Amino acid sequence: MTDWLLDMNPILLALLATLFTWGCTAFGSSFVFSTKKANPKLFDSMLAFAGGVMIAASFWSLLAPGIAMAEEQGVPPYIPATIGFLLGGIFLMMVDKFLPMINEDLYFKEIKDRKAKHRTAMLVFSITLHNIPEGLAIGVAFGVLAADFPTSSLSGAIALAIGIGIQNIPEGTAVSIPLRREGMSKRKSFFYGQISGMVEPISAVIGAVAVIFIEPLLPYALSFAAGAMIFVVAKEVIPGSQERGHVQLATMSLMIGFVVMMILDVALG
């Protein structure tokens, strides 16, 4: 059923996948036009489900193929896995140190004053920068298909994109709704909410091109993407899904997401 997808250019597949994730960000931002409040339980379960998908994908779609590729290249497999994984986490830790993901005290306090434009720009830039590793992870997952390694998985790459897309829905809402609450128009709130996802298609294409044309980097790139994914899940996704008190619901949703991704990647890959 996926033969026609396998025949497509991996770079094009990565682009299409991240256009989907960008669309999910826009969908989340569109809740600013609704008069109804978004169901917090639904959003928390969606966020946790996406976290489970991303954890499973970090191993089966990224780390495991990277380890196998290192072995085929004659490199001790734990070296690129360790270096790449830790660098992915360290990179996001440094980003998070200078641009916290969503800090309402910093970005939304006194947003109506003369610094409002500066605060809004910083917020959008922060979210955008955090989306770069997600786009790179998708690009790497699709780009590795061109190398025709036996451990590469189209279903795993697709599932990773779906998981990140689901995670982007509440993320888009988390930007647009506070901006609207602080007096920005609905259209501008939506615009700033969805624009943060625009960087994912760009970074995905870069990631796919890099791994296709620089094959020795594949194990490191896959491990880097896995480390970035785990950092996002541990730092943002899990705490964000439980901060409103829906701990059990979020925990079970995360486990279900993990199982779904495992089935997709192991059974169908």
Side-chain angles (χ1 to χ4, degrees):
M1 186 174 67
T2 58
D3 289 346
W4 65 276
L5 285 173
L6 288 169
D7 292 334
M8 292 181 65
N9 188 304
I11 299 174
L12 177 59
L13 285 174
L15 176 62
L16 293 175
T18 43
L19 287 175
F20 162 75
T21 62
W22 183 9
C24 289
T25 305
F27 175 69
S29 301
S30 71
F31 278 85
V32 77
F33 295 110
S34 174
T35 55
K36 297 180 180 179
K37 287 187 176 181
N39 188 319
K41 284 189 176 181
L42 175 62
F43 267 30
D44 287 347
S45 62
M46 287 174 58
L47 192 60
F49 178 90
V53 170
M54 292 162 72
I55 291 172
S58 294
F59 177 74
W60 276 288
S61 295
L62 298 170
L63 266 180
I67 290 171
M69 290 172 193
E71 290 176 338
E72 292 189 18
Q73 293 175 358
V75 179
Y78 58 85
I79 292 179
T82 301
I83 294 174
F85 187 83
L86 291 177
L87 283 178
I90 291 170
F91 172 75
L92 277 196
M93 183 175 67
M94 296 305 295
V95 169
D96 204 58
K97 180 179 179 180
F98 295 103
L99 290 169
M101 188 67 165
I102 298 179
N103 186 326
E104 292 205 15
D105 289 335
L106 174 63
Y107 295 122
F108 298 126
K109 185 180 179 182
E110 300 173 356
I111 199 166
K112 294 179 182 179
D113 67 11
R114 61 184 180 180
K115 297 180 180 179
K117 290 184 178 180
H118 172 70
R119 295 183 189 279
T120 302
M122 286 293 290
L123 169 64
V124 175
F125 181 66
S126 171
I127 302 296
T128 299
L129 203 56
H130 280 81
N131 282 340
I132 291 176
E134 296 177 4
L136 285 173
I138 295 174
V140 168
F142 279 99
V144 76
L145 298 174
D148 201 25
F149 279 93
T151 52
S152 60
S153 167
L154 176 62
S155 60
I158 292 173
L160 176 62
I162 292 173
I164 290 175
I166 294 173
Q167 182 253 339
N168 282 357
I169 294 174
E171 186 176 281
T173 306
V175 178
S176 61
I177 295 297
L179 289 175
R180 174 59 182 164
R181 188 176 65 231
E182 297 298 336
M184 189 173 286
S185 71
K186 290 183 178 180
R187 288 187 178 183
K188 283 189 175 181
S189 299
F190 169 76
F191 174 78
Y192 286 121
Q194 62 83 32
I195 200 173
S196 63
M198 181 178 63
V199 73
E200 288 188 0
I202 299 171
S203 55
V205 169
I206 293 173
V209 170
V211 298
I212 288 174
F213 291 102
I214 315 175
E215 191 169 302
L217 288 180
L218 280 172
Y220 295 93
L222 286 165
S223 301
F224 180 93
M229 286 291 95
I230 293 298
F231 185 92
V232 170
V233 172
K235 177 67 169 57
E236 306 294 343
V237 175
I238 293 177
S241 67
Q242 298 183 1
E243 65 184 2
R244 282 178 286 269
H246 306 133
V247 177
Q248 290 186 341
L249 173 65
T251 301
M252 289 307 303
S253 298
L254 184 142
M255 294 180 71
I256 292 170
F258 185 96
V259 170
V260 169
M261 178 64 201
M262 180 178 63
I263 292 172
L264 285 171
D265 212 338
V266 175
L268 303 180

